Amino acid sequence: MSDRDADVGGLQDHSLGNEIVGRIAELGGISQSKEHLARLFLTREHRAAADLIVSWMREAGMRARLDAIGNVCGRYEGERPGLPCLMLGSHYDTVVDAGKWDGPLGLITAISCVADLNRRGRRLPFAIEVVGFADEEGVRFASTLLGSRAVAGTFDESALNSRDRGGMTLRQAIADFGLDPDHIGAAARTRRELLGYLELHIEQGPVLEERSLPVGVVTAIAGATRLSARLTGMAGHAGTVPMALRRDALTGAAEAICAIEEFCRTDHGGLVGTVGYIHALPGATNVIPGQVSFTMDIRAPTDPHRKRAVTDIVRQLEAIAGRRNLALQLNVTHENRTVPCAPWLKTQIAEAIAAEGLPVFELPSGAGHDGMAMIDVADVGMIFVRCRGGISHHPDEHVELADADTGARVLLRVIENFRPQPAV
Ligand SMILES: [Zn+2]
């Protein structure tokens, strides 16, 4: 205990955790709706949140500003001005009916760590930048990671013409927010400026809780393949067509869905597959379903693993369709690559966790994160913090004070002991 305290500058018990939990509540109070938390990209409440985050950054000794897409950017100089930075961040937009922790925990924790360094007058041989990404969830405009893509220099300008449900373009929304949509290019950073990108985030799953661990080292952000499937058979009268003569698309889909579940369940390599949507036609109690559409979402910790799984699943669906005399049509609707966390950053996170006297446990992230965009401009590392019941994107999302504090201690240790990767 005592040497831990000495190592991180004589912190009081839970002093960081208390500040973090208080700020989570404060930020979580900024919502478009009184009934639930919703803070969508470029809304008035999103702007109020940005202003609050800027004030916290300044209080922590950072220079802070908004870039042209609405990312909140703070910089804490190193031993001398202008040094390359270790970038820390997470997002401050939310889904609708969100929890308070998804995104803000990583952002607020990073600010609290910098504030702690600042209080102690500690300067490091590198700068620290903290970024609150403006759009990770992608709820308002049909595109995710707009904030981190702008920082990574991969923002697609054509997205400016996309419209929200009310018909407003992204370009107009940025202008109304008080920013210049023609300057998004200036938000882009270069690999030379960044020593690495580190994000702390709630796990959004139950694995850490099941193992009674407050924190974990993320190995990779799993890639995903999404497909839409359509099975076509023959609609018919529920009373007159004998069972042997039916071409029921819905029972075929049921068999297909169970086969997908069984395939993923018996994989043991972190493969997950979900059918989250199904629609049967004509959709009447007394009619044999002639056509069924459903979706699939397949994720795995590596790209080859996921691609192999998709191929095998497709083969099984074809066999089921063939046996049942159904036509099968498949479309890949979305595909994104797996983003591996950098081994050298994983090592430094593991060292920090071990220095806290905790077991080091590695796990992949099944959910997407800003690191998926940041990988184009920096090596990526992630720390997961346990959340109650694995619940996320839900008002019951919760992190215990002690876990928020542990996460902060780990992040602070990583920062203070950070060693840039030697140039290769
Ligand atoms: Zn998130």
Side-chain angles (χ1 to χ4, degrees):
M1 264 325 241
S2 56
D3 72 345
R4 175 175 76 180
D5 285 351
D7 254 24
V8 292
L11 290 172
Q12 302 299 303
D13 266 353
H14 294 169
S15 62
L16 289 173
N18 279 318
E19 178 176 73
I20 290 162
V21 169
R23 286 181 169 178
I24 288 281
E26 194 177 352
L27 193 59
I30 304 178
S31 171
Q32 292 160 249
S33 159
K34 278 202 179 71
E35 290 78 44
H36 58 246
L37 173 56
R39 198 168 53 242
L40 305 198
F41 184 36
L42 301 175
T43 56
R44 217 155 32 116
E45 293 73 20
H46 195 243
R47 176 71 208 213
D51 292 341
L52 179 61
I53 295 161
V54 163
S55 75
W56 288 338
M57 285 177 170
R58 291 191 176 141
E59 206 181 295
M62 286 183 263
R63 261 188 297 126
R65 63 185 173 86
L66 296 189
D67 71 12
I69 191 103
N71 296 323
V72 189
C73 309
R75 183 174 165 95
Y76 182 75
E77 293 291 352
E79 285 161 354
R80 56 178 198 279
L83 291 169
C85 74
L86 172 62
M87 186 174 272
L88 313 171
S90 200
H91 58 100
Y92 73 99
D93 65 323
T94 73
V95 294
V96 175
D97 204 8
K100 298 186 174 92
W101 304 82
D102 169 10
L105 179 64
L107 175 57
I108 287 171
T109 301
I111 295 170
S112 287
C113 287
V114 173
D116 189 77
L117 295 174
N118 188 50
R119 276 193 293 272
R120 288 185 276 133
R122 178 103 204 259
R123 295 282 166 180
L124 299 163
F126 51 89
I128 300 170
E129 294 196 19
V130 179
V131 183
F133 292 112
D135 171 73
E136 192 267 352
E137 303 286 5
V139 177
R140 183 168 177 190
F141 297 93
S143 181
T144 59
L145 307 176
L146 293 174
S148 43
R149 285 203 183 116
V151 173
T154 56
F155 180 83
D156 177 2
E157 298 270 330
S158 69
L160 289 171
N161 299 319
S162 60
R163 290 175 190 273
D164 69 6
R165 276 197 199 168
M168 184 183 282
T169 61
L170 173 57
R171 175 183 293 281
Q172 188 60 49
I174 291 172
D176 290 356
F177 198 75
L179 299 168
D180 185 348
D182 292 322
H183 278 145
I184 289 175
R189 308 300 296 272
T190 63
R191 196 164 272 276
R192 223 177 325 148
E193 295 174 296
L194 307 185
L195 300 172
Y197 172 73
L198 257 184
E199 177 163 351
L200 177 144
H201 200 283
I202 61 166
E203 183 201 339
Q204 300 181 279
V207 176
L208 290 174
E209 187 176 76
E210 201 181 276
R211 292 188 175 251
S212 299
L213 295 171
V215 289
V217 187
V218 178
T219 53
I221 304 168
T225 305
R226 291 188 189 144
L227 303 102
S228 67
R230 193 163 70 194
L231 281 168
T232 307
M234 180 65 83
H237 196 292
T240 60
V241 185
M243 295 308 285
L245 299 181
R246 294 187 180 200
R247 293 170 60 208
D248 185 330
L250 186 49
T251 51
E255 188 181 344
I257 292 166
C258 289
I260 294 164
E261 182 189 44
E262 187 60 13
F263 184 86
C264 297
R265 210 175 53 76
T266 51
D267 171 84
H268 303 303
L271 181 71
V272 288
T274 306
V275 173
Y277 169 87
I278 184 163
H279 183 64
L281 288 173
T285 311
N286 60 349
V287 183
I288 299 162
Q291 191 173 84
V292 172
S293 306
F294 61 95
T295 59
M296 285 168 269
D297 179 304
I298 313 286
R299 306 185 194 206
T302 70
D303 288 333
H305 188 175
R306 186 185 79 252
K307 285 180 179 159
R308 248 192 344 264
V310 169
T311 307
D312 289 350
I313 287 169
V314 166
R315 215 171 282 145
Q316 288 199 16
L317 299 198
E318 283 167 350
I320 291 165
R323 220 174 331 107
R324 289 172 166 272
N325 198 16
L326 303 169
L328 172 66
Q329 203 186 328
L330 281 170
N331 281 311
V332 175
T333 53
H334 167 95
E335 184 149 36
N336 59 307
R337 65 197 162 156
T338 293
V339 169
C341 292
W344 66 277
L345 283 168
K346 280 195 303 182
T347 301
Q348 295 190 28
I349 294 167
E351 285 169 2
I353 292 173
E356 282 292 322
L358 294 164
V360 173
F361 177 71
E362 294 194 342
L363 72 171
S365 171
H369 295 290
D370 286 300
M372 294 164 76
M374 291 304 292
I375 191 83
D376 286 324
V377 76
D379 283 355
V380 171
M382 282 194 82
I383 302 165
F384 268 171
V385 176
R386 167 170 59 188
C387 59
R388 187 175 62 197
I391 296 166
S392 184
H393 285 189
H394 189 279
D396 289 345
E397 193 177 85
H398 180 73
V399 173
E400 294 297 332
L401 167 64
D403 289 356
D405 193 70
T406 301
R409 282 171 173 275
V410 169
L411 183 61
L412 189 55
R413 274 188 193 277
V414 175
I415 295 168
E416 293 202 73
N417 298 299
F418 180 72
R419 305 171 305 282
Q421 190 192 32
V424 275

